[in-house]
């Protein structure tokens, strides 16, 4: 997914000015994250290319999406991608720091979603945009969890995708911020491979039922895409 653009069934994403290109992580999260409650306002933290904002605008035709991105170049490209889509009137891209956005009284959201940076800061590169996209220096797990908690409407849902070790760290932080786990999906490349990513849904309201748990295998043993992966992304990816 590292080309200068990525074409979906209902929109196209330009990504030549973004440090992080459209990724498998993002498209799985965009297809999985949801809520059993009505969704009228969605916040995408660290939107990058804008792919998550666009996926949610497609999935929730009555919702308004606010996408926050700290990197100026990525935010500019996300705006271009939004403006060329069918949902430009329902998506707003804000270039700025989520920590300041949180303090700006932006109101409450029914869903807050993030594909957050998760590397530690001891391996920073000379590319500032890539550091913002990959490393926690611009937004720590605690800042994301606390900010998301403040901005979620009562009963709202926050979603993140992370590698398993980093998700364990985020779960501890989210619990301290007042979140309760309501859903978990474990993502594997194939059944014979190690756990690749974990997607978690959190709510600020204590759930009545135990968390919903599921497993996704992206590929079959022969390397072809699994039926489950094709079904999940059938509304978005070409040739699915």
């Amino acid at each position: 997914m590292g080309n200068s653009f990525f074409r979906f069934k209902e929109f196209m994403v330009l990504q030549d000015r973004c440090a992080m290109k459209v990724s498998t992580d993002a498209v799985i999260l965009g297809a999985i994250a949801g809520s059993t409650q009505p969704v009228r306002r969605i916040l995408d933290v660290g939107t990058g290319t804008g792919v998550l904002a666009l996926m949610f605008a497609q999935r929730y035709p009555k919702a308004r999406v606010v996408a926050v991105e700290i990197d100026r170049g990525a935010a500019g490209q996300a705006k271009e991608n939004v403006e060329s889509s069918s949902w430009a009137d329902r998506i707003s891209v804000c270039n700025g720091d989520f920590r300041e956005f949180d303090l700006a009284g932006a109101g409450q959201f029914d869903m807050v979603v993030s594909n957050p940076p998760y590397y530690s800061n001891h391996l920073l590169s000379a590319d500032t945009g890539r550091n913002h996209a990959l490393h926690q220096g611009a937004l720590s797990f605690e800042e994301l969890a606390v900010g998301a908690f403040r901005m979620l409407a009562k009963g709202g849902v926050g979603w993140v995708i992370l590698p398993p070790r980093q998700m364990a760290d985020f779960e501890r932080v989210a619990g301290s911020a007042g979140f309760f786990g309501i859903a978990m999906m474990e993502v594997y490349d194939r059944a014979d491979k190690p756990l690749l990513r974990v997607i978690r849904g959190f709510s600020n309201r204590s759930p009545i039922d135990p968390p919903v748990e599921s497993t996704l295998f992206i590929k079959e043993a022969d390397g072809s895409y699994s039926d489950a992966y094709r079904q999940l992304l059938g509304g978005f990816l070409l040739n699915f």
Side-chain angles (χ1 to χ4, degrees):
M1 298 186 183
N3 295 330
S4 62
F5 68 92
F6 193 90
R7 191 179 298 278
F8 291 79
K9 286 183 175 178
E10 296 194 25
F11 59 91
M12 186 173 74
V13 173
L14 301 176
Q15 54 184 6
D16 56 288
R17 302 204 309 275
C18 295
M20 285 302 294
K21 314 304 182 186
V22 174
S23 66
T24 301
D25 287 12
V27 295
I28 293 176
L29 179 62
I32 287 293
S35 174
T36 58
Q37 304 297 318
V39 177
R40 300 178 184 88
R41 297 191 77 211
I42 301 170
L43 177 63
D44 173 16
V45 181
T47 196
T49 63
V51 62
L52 281 175
L54 290 161
M55 291 180 73
F56 290 124
Q58 178 180 334
R59 287 180 57 199
Y60 294 95
K62 295 184 178 179
R64 292 191 171 274
V65 184
V66 177
V68 181
E69 173 56 51
I70 192 171
D71 182 75
R72 186 185 300 274
Q77 189 146 67
K79 288 181 181 180
E80 292 178 6
N81 291 330
V82 166
E83 288 168 358
S84 66
S85 76
S86 301
W87 313 294
D89 61 331
R90 295 192 290 111
I91 305 175
S92 301
V93 179
C94 302
N95 177 210
D97 190 324
F98 172 66
R99 294 167 293 190
E100 297 174 1
F101 181 83
D102 173 30
L103 300 175
Q108 292 189 312
F109 294 85
D110 303 299
M111 195 158 68
V112 177
V113 183
S114 184
N115 179 11
Y118 53 81
Y119 288 116
S120 60
N121 293 316
H122 67 285
L123 295 174
L124 293 175
S125 73
D127 187 334
T128 302
R130 191 164 179 81
N131 289 336
H132 283 156
L134 292 174
H135 296 266
Q136 293 181 44
L139 184 66
S140 70
F141 286 167
E142 182 175 13
E143 289 165 334
L144 174 59
V146 171
F149 183 81
R150 290 175 180 169
M151 304 191 81
L152 271 180
K154 191 62 178 177
V157 185
W159 289 88
V160 295
I161 181 170
L162 288 165
R165 183 178 66 78
Q166 285 84 354
M167 182 59 81
D169 294 338
F170 187 85
E171 287 171 348
R172 288 191 289 270
V173 170
S176 298
F179 278 111
F180 302 90
I182 60 168
M184 179 179 73
M185 171 179 276
E186 294 186 337
V187 180
Y188 296 81
D189 183 56
R190 298 186 326 197
D192 60 343
K193 297 294 184 180
L195 178 59
L196 184 65
R197 295 287 187 270
V198 180
I199 299 174
R200 289 301 308 261
F202 298 91
S203 178
N204 52 18
R205 178 178 291 170
S206 179
I208 298 174
D209 299 317
V212 178
E213 299 183 0
S214 58
T215 302
L216 176 68
F217 300 106
I218 297 174
K219 298 174 185 174
E220 304 289 356
D222 62 3
S224 63
Y225 288 116
S226 69
D227 289 342
Y229 186 72
R230 287 179 174 276
Q231 183 176 1
L232 178 66
L233 297 175
F236 298 102
L237 299 186
L238 298 172
N239 302 320
F240 270 33

